[in-house]
Amino acid sequence: MNDPQGNKPEQPEQPSQEEASPKPRSRGIYLLPNLFTTGALFCGFYAVVAGMNGVFDNAAIAIFVAMVLDGLDGRVARLTNTSSAFGAEYDSLSDMVSFGVAPALVTFSWVLSSAGKFGWFCAFIYVAGAALRLARFNTQIGSVDKRYFMGLPSPAAAASVAGLVWACVEFEIDVSHLVYPIAIYVALVGVLMVSNVLYYSFKDVDPKGKIPFMILLVIVLTIGVISISPPIFLWLLILGYTLSGPVLWLLRKRKTLSS
């Protein structure tokens, strides 16, 4: 129908050729960073199998190796410009196995089964804490200060649990009378993962930049001390990091109340 004013009716806009044709779907994935993620996933699976077979020291070592590989895959992806959405999702699933399920099952097979329902309940708190921690981390990417993690990172949580297992097995410590304290320790580590306590992320440290000589000296001394007895000193190092969050939180609260 013609417009009484003589104006031509508006024609619907035709989609451009680029909009009409769907974008080609990428079928490939980057190999290098996903190899490290696969290695971390394998270490987590191996830790579960080793724990079920009673080889708890190897299970704990596998979790530490998974922690190292997990730290490498993201850095390799950024250095080689091979970051992808697939890699991020794959990394989260790998973390859930290596740092969520594996430490809980290893400690349950090691000692928590002796506590009955209380033992598996504490192990479940840890697993749930790891799952919630990873889900919250994925939804907060880009919206929080990169210098800090909100809640204990799952690799550090896994290392704090695996380090305890490794140290006790290495020094043949009888933990039969420490079942309930260990169960509470595992549950508290799980709670710290979903807490609002801030932990330093070390992401603002530039590995290619210059550092003071004293920092290099401290790094060398730390490596030397760890080499004396890796089970005990690695666990103490990770335990110190685990406790740093609540300690700094209490100091900030105290400073706020005093001011």
Side-chain angles (χ1 to χ4, degrees):
M1 184 175 181
N2 294 332
D3 194 321
Q5 297 180 0
N7 297 328
K8 294 182 179 180
E10 295 182 0
Q11 298 295 328
E13 295 182 359
Q14 297 296 326
S16 63
Q17 186 176 0
E18 293 182 357
E19 294 177 351
S21 60
K23 294 181 178 179
R25 185 177 179 181
S26 176
R27 297 181 180 179
I29 59 174
Y30 294 114
L31 177 63
L32 189 57
N34 290 307
L35 279 178
F36 287 96
T37 305
T38 303
L41 177 62
F42 173 79
C43 289
F45 177 74
Y46 174 81
V48 173
V49 175
M52 293 171 61
N53 291 329
V55 191
F56 300 113
D57 51 350
N58 288 351
I61 293 172
I63 292 175
F64 274 97
V65 175
M67 180 180 174
V68 174
L69 293 175
D70 179 70
L72 290 175
D73 61 359
R75 286 171 174 79
V76 168
R78 287 189 292 271
L79 289 173
T80 58
N81 196 25
T82 53
S83 300
S84 64
F86 173 85
E89 295 299 327
Y90 187 30
D91 182 65
S92 293
L93 294 173
S94 173
D95 288 353
M96 186 58 206
V97 174
S98 300
F99 309 132
V101 176
L105 291 181
V106 169
T107 51
F108 183 81
S109 301
W110 174 50
V111 70
L112 296 190
S113 58
S114 303
K117 293 182 178 180
F118 183 74
W120 67 254
F121 176 70
C122 290
F124 174 73
I125 290 178
Y126 177 90
V127 174
L132 293 171
R133 169 73 177 82
L134 291 168
R136 184 174 68 176
F137 177 79
N138 290 338
T139 57
Q140 290 181 340
I141 293 177
S143 61
V144 295
D145 191 347
K146 291 184 178 181
R147 295 177 300 170
Y148 299 97
F149 293 119
M150 182 178 291
L152 181 64
S154 56
S160 65
V161 172
L164 174 64
V165 176
W166 190 11
C168 291
V169 172
E170 182 71 17
F171 293 98
E172 300 181 352
I173 298 175
D174 182 14
V175 295
S176 58
H177 58 291
L178 299 173
V179 175
Y180 287 95
I182 292 175
I184 294 173
Y185 171 80
V186 172
L188 287 177
V189 172
V191 171
L192 281 177
M193 281 191 281
V194 294
S195 67
N196 292 330
V197 176
L198 298 179
Y199 285 87
Y200 187 54
S201 67
F202 300 99
K203 288 186 177 181
D204 58 344
V205 177
D206 185 8
K208 296 181 291 185
K210 294 182 178 180
I211 60 173
F213 175 77
M214 289 304 299
I215 294 181
L216 178 61
L217 180 60
V218 169
I219 294 174
V220 171
L221 291 176
T222 302
I223 295 175
V225 171
I226 291 175
S227 65
I228 297 174
S229 179
I232 187 67
F233 287 110
L234 272 177
W235 178 58
L236 291 177
L237 180 65
I238 296 297
L239 183 62
Y241 179 75
T242 303
L243 296 176
S244 66
V247 169
L248 294 177
W249 180 82
L250 290 174
L251 291 177
R252 283 192 293 265
K253 277 288 185 181
R254 183 178 179 182
K255 184 178 181 179
T256 303
L257 293 176
S258 62
S259 60

